[in-house]
Amino acid sequence: MAQAPTPTVPTLASLGLPAERPLVLVDVDEVLGLFMQGFGDFLAGRGYEMRIERFALFQNVYPPGGSEHIDLETGRRLFDEFFAGHCHEIEPAPGAIAALNKLAKSAEILILSNAPAQGERLRAQWLARHGMAHPLVLNSGPKGPIAAGLVAQTPHRTAFVDDLLPNLDSVTEHSPGTATFQHVADLRLRPFAPRSDNHPRFDDWADLGEAIEAAVRRAP
């Protein structure tokens, strides 16, 4: 099996982040932003329905009144179209802005998103418009390798937040010293989202922010 390419890891300095404080890496979709809600609104304008029936993406998208979800090729086309021109239309996750602003007083914040490259400009604009103008790094595939390269640049405590267990597991594998937390923003998705004892889950951002702060302030 071919190995995934090694990601290009930017330096913290090039992102404008000093290494003198703890570092917190945060996902966007279903963590800082209500992706499923926004993508569902976009799909409705294209004649499709979003039915939250499982913790998945394209398997929740149907033609109106249809009994079979859309195929992968159609899903990817719609996904790419959404990120190219509409990913800035999602709403922030409840409590995310206030919690992130509070964290930013004692830690550096880096946004680590698996968004397609064509969505980078709009995603950065969305973050800035909602008061979360922190450096944005795009990734593809598991987030462990790039997270490890980023956190290796600081001697301080680090944390990582994502909704997907494979990304959380990947970060634990590649950067075992990083505290990992799960958050699922969409109320409809939460009952279907798998959990893991390895990654504390906080679906309230106020509680999540406090847990992150406690983790990164803990003495080495």
Side-chain angles (χ1 to χ4, degrees), residues 126-158:
W126 179 84
L127 289 163
R129 187 168 75 250
H130 291 289
M132 299 182 285
H134 304 286
L136 169 65
V137 173
L138 297 188
N139 178 65
S140 62
K143 292 184 178 178
I146 193 167
L150 290 163
V151 305
Q153 299 175 49
T154 176
H156 296 281
R157 290 284 181 179
T158 57

mmCIF file of all heavy atoms in Angstrom, residues 126-158:
data_model
loop_
_atom_site.group_PDB
_atom_site.id
_atom_site.type_symbol
_atom_site.label_atom_id
_atom_site.label_comp_id
_atom_site.label_asym_id
_atom_site.label_seq_id
_atom_site.Cartn_x
_atom_site.Cartn_y
_atom_site.Cartn_z
ATOM 1 N N TRP A 126 -14.011 34.005 6.331
ATOM 2 C CA TRP A 126 -15.048 33.639 7.293
ATOM 3 C C TRP A 126 -14.519 33.716 8.718
ATOM 4 O O TRP A 126 -15.180 34.281 9.602
ATOM 5 C CB TRP A 126 -15.554 32.222 6.989
ATOM 6 C CG TRP A 126 -16.611 31.724 7.923
ATOM 7 C CD1 TRP A 126 -17.958 31.967 7.852
ATOM 8 C CD2 TRP A 126 -16.409 30.911 9.088
ATOM 9 N NE1 TRP A 126 -18.607 31.359 8.897
ATOM 10 C CE2 TRP A 126 -17.683 30.702 9.669
ATOM 11 C CE3 TRP A 126 -15.289 30.344 9.684
ATOM 12 C CZ2 TRP A 126 -17.855 29.942 10.828
ATOM 13 C CZ3 TRP A 126 -15.464 29.590 10.843
ATOM 14 C CH2 TRP A 126 -16.727 29.395 11.391
ATOM 15 N N LEU A 127 -13.344 33.186 8.944
ATOM 16 C CA LEU A 127 -12.744 33.231 10.273
ATOM 17 C C LEU A 127 -12.550 34.671 10.737
ATOM 18 O O LEU A 127 -12.888 35.022 11.876
ATOM 19 C CB LEU A 127 -11.404 32.498 10.272
ATOM 20 C CG LEU A 127 -11.467 30.972 10.155
ATOM 21 C CD1 LEU A 127 -10.109 30.409 9.736
ATOM 22 C CD2 LEU A 127 -11.925 30.342 11.479
ATOM 23 N N ALA A 128 -12.031 35.515 9.855
ATOM 24 C CA ALA A 128 -11.787 36.913 10.219
ATOM 25 C C ALA A 128 -13.098 37.646 10.495
ATOM 26 O O ALA A 128 -13.193 38.436 11.452
ATOM 27 C CB ALA A 128 -11.016 37.608 9.097
ATOM 28 N N ARG A 129 -14.102 37.403 9.687
ATOM 29 C CA ARG A 129 -15.381 38.090 9.850
ATOM 30 C C ARG A 129 -16.036 37.769 11.189
ATOM 31 O O ARG A 129 -16.751 38.605 11.754
ATOM 32 C CB ARG A 129 -16.323 37.716 8.710
ATOM 33 C CG ARG A 129 -17.629 38.518 8.716
ATOM 34 C CD ARG A 129 -18.416 38.339 7.444
ATOM 35 N NE ARG A 129 -19.084 37.045 7.379
ATOM 36 C CZ ARG A 129 -18.754 36.050 6.561
ATOM 37 N NH1 ARG A 129 -17.740 36.204 5.728
ATOM 38 N NH2 ARG A 129 -19.412 34.914 6.559
ATOM 39 N N HIS A 130 -15.765 36.582 11.705
ATOM 40 C CA HIS A 130 -16.380 36.173 12.959
ATOM 41 C C HIS A 130 -15.427 36.305 14.152
ATOM 42 O O HIS A 130 -15.655 35.689 15.205
ATOM 43 C CB HIS A 130 -16.889 34.740 12.838
ATOM 44 C CG HIS A 130 -18.064 34.607 11.921
ATOM 45 N ND1 HIS A 130 -19.321 35.078 12.248
ATOM 46 C CD2 HIS A 130 -18.183 34.082 10.672
ATOM 47 C CE1 HIS A 130 -20.159 34.839 11.257
ATOM 48 N NE2 HIS A 130 -19.499 34.236 10.291
ATOM 49 N N GLY A 131 -14.393 37.096 13.992
ATOM 50 C CA GLY A 131 -13.505 37.365 15.106
ATOM 51 C C GLY A 131 -12.571 36.233 15.460
ATOM 52 O O GLY A 131 -12.103 36.148 16.604
ATOM 53 N N MET A 132 -12.291 35.368 14.494
ATOM 54 C CA MET A 132 -11.382 34.244 14.730
ATOM 55 C C MET A 132 -10.242 34.283 13.700
ATOM 56 O O MET A 132 -9.937 33.285 13.052
ATOM 57 C CB MET A 132 -12.139 32.916 14.646
ATOM 58 C CG MET A 132 -13.248 32.772 15.660
ATOM 59 S SD MET A 132 -14.127 31.171 15.607
ATOM 60 C CE MET A 132 -15.142 31.405 14.126
ATOM 61 N N ALA A 133 -9.633 35.450 13.573
ATOM 62 C CA ALA A 133 -8.611 35.657 12.543
ATOM 63 C C ALA A 133 -7.266 35.074 12.965
ATOM 64 O O ALA A 133 -6.250 35.773 13.032
ATOM 65 C CB ALA A 133 -8.476 37.142 12.231
ATOM 66 N N HIS A 134 -7.261 33.786 13.232
ATOM 67 C CA HIS A 134 -6.033 33.088 13.580
ATOM 68 C C HIS A 134 -5.445 32.450 12.328
ATOM 69 O O HIS A 134 -6.157 32.230 11.339
ATOM 70 C CB HIS A 134 -6.333 32.015 14.633
ATOM 71 C CG HIS A 134 -6.998 32.565 15.858
ATOM 72 N ND1 HIS A 134 -6.314 33.303 16.800
ATOM 73 C CD2 HIS A 134 -8.289 32.494 16.287
ATOM 74 C CE1 HIS A 134 -7.160 33.673 17.755
ATOM 75 N NE2 HIS A 134 -8.356 33.187 17.475
ATOM 76 N N PRO A 135 -4.154 32.137 12.323
ATOM 77 C CA PRO A 135 -3.548 31.509 11.143
ATOM 78 C C PRO A 135 -4.284 30.239 10.741
ATOM 79 O O PRO A 135 -4.668 29.434 11.597
ATOM 80 C CB PRO A 135 -2.114 31.218 11.593
ATOM 81 C CG PRO A 135 -1.848 32.220 12.671
ATOM 82 C CD PRO A 135 -3.154 32.410 13.371
ATOM 83 N N LEU A 136 -4.460 30.076 9.443
ATOM 84 C CA LEU A 136 -5.162 28.923 8.879
ATOM 85 C C LEU A 136 -4.186 28.065 8.090
ATOM 86 O O LEU A 136 -3.471 28.574 7.218
ATOM 87 C CB LEU A 136 -6.288 29.409 7.961
ATOM 88 C CG LEU A 136 -6.978 28.361 7.083
ATOM 89 C CD1 LEU A 136 -7.724 27.338 7.932
ATOM 90 C CD2 LEU A 136 -7.922 29.044 6.090
ATOM 91 N N VAL A 137 -4.162 26.778 8.382
ATOM 92 C CA VAL A 137 -3.344 25.819 7.639
ATOM 93 C C VAL A 137 -4.269 24.744 7.089
ATOM 94 O O VAL A 137 -5.066 24.159 7.837
ATOM 95 C CB VAL A 137 -2.261 25.175 8.545
ATOM 96 C CG1 VAL A 137 -1.534 24.061 7.797
ATOM 97 C CG2 VAL A 137 -1.275 26.228 9.019
ATOM 98 N N LEU A 138 -4.176 24.499 5.785
ATOM 99 C CA LEU A 138 -4.972 23.449 5.163
ATOM 100 C C LEU A 138 -4.182 22.151 5.104
ATOM 101 O O LEU A 138 -2.968 22.158 4.899
ATOM 102 C CB LEU A 138 -5.392 23.856 3.751
ATOM 103 C CG LEU A 138 -6.289 25.086 3.618
ATOM 104 C CD1 LEU A 138 -6.772 25.225 2.179
ATOM 105 C CD2 LEU A 138 -7.467 25.030 4.571
ATOM 106 N N ASN A 139 -4.892 21.052 5.275
ATOM 107 C CA ASN A 139 -4.281 19.731 5.266
ATOM 108 C C ASN A 139 -5.171 18.811 4.452
ATOM 109 O O ASN A 139 -6.328 19.121 4.158
ATOM 110 C CB ASN A 139 -4.170 19.216 6.711
ATOM 111 C CG ASN A 139 -3.594 17.829 6.803
ATOM 112 O OD1 ASN A 139 -2.433 17.617 6.459
ATOM 113 N ND2 ASN A 139 -4.386 16.865 7.259
ATOM 114 N N SER A 140 -4.642 17.671 4.067
ATOM 115 C CA SER A 140 -5.457 16.617 3.471
ATOM 116 C C SER A 140 -5.042 15.295 4.103
ATOM 117 O O SER A 140 -3.865 15.068 4.363
ATOM 118 C CB SER A 140 -5.282 16.565 1.949
ATOM 119 O OG SER A 140 -3.945 16.279 1.607
ATOM 120 N N GLY A 141 -6.022 14.454 4.380
ATOM 121 C CA GLY A 141 -5.727 13.182 5.012
ATOM 122 C C GLY A 141 -5.595 13.305 6.518
ATOM 123 O O GLY A 141 -5.951 14.326 7.112
ATOM 124 N N PRO A 142 -5.089 12.269 7.183
ATOM 125 C CA PRO A 142 -4.949 12.290 8.639
ATOM 126 C C PRO A 142 -4.136 13.497 9.108
ATOM 127 O O PRO A 142 -3.169 13.909 8.458
ATOM 128 C CB PRO A 142 -4.217 10.982 8.942
ATOM 129 C CG PRO A 142 -4.549 10.090 7.787
ATOM 130 C CD PRO A 142 -4.638 10.986 6.594
ATOM 131 N N LYS A 143 -4.516 14.036 10.239
ATOM 132 C CA LYS A 143 -3.890 15.280 10.707
ATOM 133 C C LYS A 143 -2.685 15.061 11.621
ATOM 134 O O LYS A 143 -2.014 16.022 11.988
ATOM 135 C CB LYS A 143 -4.934 16.141 11.416
ATOM 136 C CG LYS A 143 -6.008 16.688 10.478
ATOM 137 C CD LYS A 143 -6.967 17.617 11.198
ATOM 138 C CE LYS A 143 -8.001 18.194 10.237
ATOM 139 N NZ LYS A 143 -8.968 19.069 10.920
ATOM 140 N N GLY A 144 -2.411 13.808 11.967
ATOM 141 C CA GLY A 144 -1.307 13.550 12.873
ATOM 142 C C GLY A 144 0.047 14.036 12.396
ATOM 143 O O GLY A 144 0.767 14.712 13.144
ATOM 144 N N PRO A 145 0.448 13.715 11.135
ATOM 145 C CA PRO A 145 1.777 14.135 10.694
ATOM 146 C C PRO A 145 1.991 15.649 10.709
ATOM 147 O O PRO A 145 3.022 16.123 11.197
ATOM 148 C CB PRO A 145 1.852 13.564 9.270
ATOM 149 C CG PRO A 145 0.964 12.355 9.323
ATOM 150 C CD PRO A 145 -0.179 12.759 10.212
ATOM 151 N N ILE A 146 1.022 16.407 10.206
ATOM 152 C CA ILE A 146 1.227 17.862 10.181
ATOM 153 C C ILE A 146 1.128 18.442 11.588
ATOM 154 O O ILE A 146 1.874 19.369 11.941
ATOM 155 C CB ILE A 146 0.249 18.553 9.210
ATOM 156 C CG1 ILE A 146 0.689 20.007 8.972
ATOM 157 C CG2 ILE A 146 -1.191 18.487 9.717
ATOM 158 C CD1 ILE A 146 -0.021 20.662 7.811
ATOM 159 N N ALA A 147 0.251 17.887 12.416
ATOM 160 C CA ALA A 147 0.154 18.362 13.791
ATOM 161 C C ALA A 147 1.468 18.128 14.530
ATOM 162 O O ALA A 147 1.940 18.999 15.275
ATOM 163 C CB ALA A 147 -1.000 17.676 14.516
ATOM 164 N N ALA A 148 2.070 16.961 14.318
ATOM 165 C CA ALA A 148 3.339 16.654 14.985
ATOM 166 C C ALA A 148 4.422 17.638 14.572
ATOM 167 O O ALA A 148 5.226 18.085 15.405
ATOM 168 C CB ALA A 148 3.758 15.228 14.668
ATOM 169 N N GLY A 149 4.450 17.982 13.287
ATOM 170 C CA GLY A 149 5.443 18.932 12.811
ATOM 171 C C GLY A 149 5.253 20.319 13.382
ATOM 172 O O GLY A 149 6.225 21.055 13.612
ATOM 173 N N LEU A 150 4.005 20.689 13.636
ATOM 174 C CA LEU A 150 3.717 22.010 14.191
ATOM 175 C C LEU A 150 4.040 22.064 15.681
ATOM 176 O O LEU A 150 4.713 22.990 16.154
ATOM 177 C CB LEU A 150 2.254 22.362 13.957
ATOM 178 C CG LEU A 150 1.863 22.645 12.505
ATOM 179 C CD1 LEU A 150 0.347 22.576 12.332
ATOM 180 C CD2 LEU A 150 2.393 24.005 12.057
ATOM 181 N N VAL A 151 3.584 21.067 16.432
ATOM 182 C CA VAL A 151 3.776 21.131 17.877
ATOM 183 C C VAL A 151 5.230 20.884 18.259
ATOM 184 O O VAL A 151 5.663 21.296 19.348
ATOM 185 C CB VAL A 151 2.845 20.147 18.619
ATOM 186 C CG1 VAL A 151 1.388 20.386 18.251
ATOM 187 C CG2 VAL A 151 3.228 18.704 18.358
ATOM 188 N N ALA A 152 5.996 20.254 17.384
ATOM 189 C CA ALA A 152 7.413 20.030 17.682
ATOM 190 C C ALA A 152 8.192 21.347 17.742
ATOM 191 O O ALA A 152 9.323 21.373 18.235
ATOM 192 C CB ALA A 152 8.034 19.120 16.622
ATOM 193 N N GLN A 153 7.589 22.430 17.266
ATOM 194 C CA GLN A 153 8.281 23.714 17.217
ATOM 195 C C GLN A 153 8.117 24.536 18.503
ATOM 196 O O GLN A 153 8.666 25.641 18.600
ATOM 197 C CB GLN A 153 7.775 24.527 16.025
ATOM 198 C CG GLN A 153 8.013 23.848 14.691
ATOM 199 C CD GLN A 153 7.403 24.623 13.534
ATOM 200 O OE1 GLN A 153 7.604 25.840 13.410
ATOM 201 N NE2 GLN A 153 6.650 23.933 12.687
ATOM 202 N N THR A 154 7.369 24.015 19.464
ATOM 203 C CA THR A 154 7.205 24.740 20.724
ATOM 204 C C THR A 154 7.511 23.819 21.888
ATOM 205 O O THR A 154 7.163 22.632 21.864
ATOM 206 C CB THR A 154 5.775 25.300 20.856
ATOM 207 O OG1 THR A 154 5.631 25.912 22.154
ATOM 208 C CG2 THR A 154 4.723 24.211 20.685
ATOM 209 N N PRO A 155 8.136 24.333 22.947
ATOM 210 C CA PRO A 155 8.405 23.503 24.129
ATOM 211 C C PRO A 155 7.213 23.453 25.091
ATOM 212 O O PRO A 155 7.267 22.740 26.081
ATOM 213 C CB PRO A 155 9.592 24.214 24.780
ATOM 214 C CG PRO A 155 9.376 25.658 24.436
ATOM 215 C CD PRO A 155 8.776 25.664 23.056
ATOM 216 N N HIS A 156 6.161 24.187 24.754
ATOM 217 C CA HIS A 156 5.035 24.308 25.670
ATOM 218 C C HIS A 156 3.964 23.260 25.392
ATOM 219 O O HIS A 156 4.020 22.527 24.407
ATOM 220 C CB HIS A 156 4.457 25.725 25.576
ATOM 221 C CG HIS A 156 5.406 26.781 26.022
ATOM 222 N ND1 HIS A 156 5.639 27.067 27.351
ATOM 223 C CD2 HIS A 156 6.216 27.612 25.308
ATOM 224 C CE1 HIS A 156 6.541 28.030 27.436
ATOM 225 N NE2 HIS A 156 6.915 28.375 26.218
ATOM 226 N N ARG A 157 2.990 23.199 26.262
ATOM 227 C CA ARG A 157 1.879 22.264 26.134
ATOM 228 C C ARG A 157 1.085 22.551 24.859
ATOM 229 O O ARG A 157 0.988 23.701 24.420
ATOM 230 C CB ARG A 157 0.955 22.366 27.349
ATOM 231 C CG ARG A 157 1.560 21.830 28.630
ATOM 232 C CD ARG A 157 1.559 20.315 28.624
ATOM 233 N NE ARG A 157 2.119 19.773 29.869
ATOM 234 C CZ ARG A 157 2.210 18.481 30.114
ATOM 235 N NH1 ARG A 157 1.785 17.610 29.225
ATOM 236 N NH2 ARG A 157 2.729 18.044 31.241
ATOM 237 N N THR A 158 0.511 21.502 24.295
ATOM 238 C CA THR A 158 -0.265 21.647 23.067
ATOM 239 C C THR A 158 -1.571 20.873 23.189
ATOM 240 O O THR A 158 -1.687 19.915 23.959
ATOM 241 C CB THR A 158 0.523 21.132 21.845
ATOM 242 O OG1 THR A 158 0.900 19.763 22.067
ATOM 243 C CG2 THR A 158 1.770 21.970 21.597
#
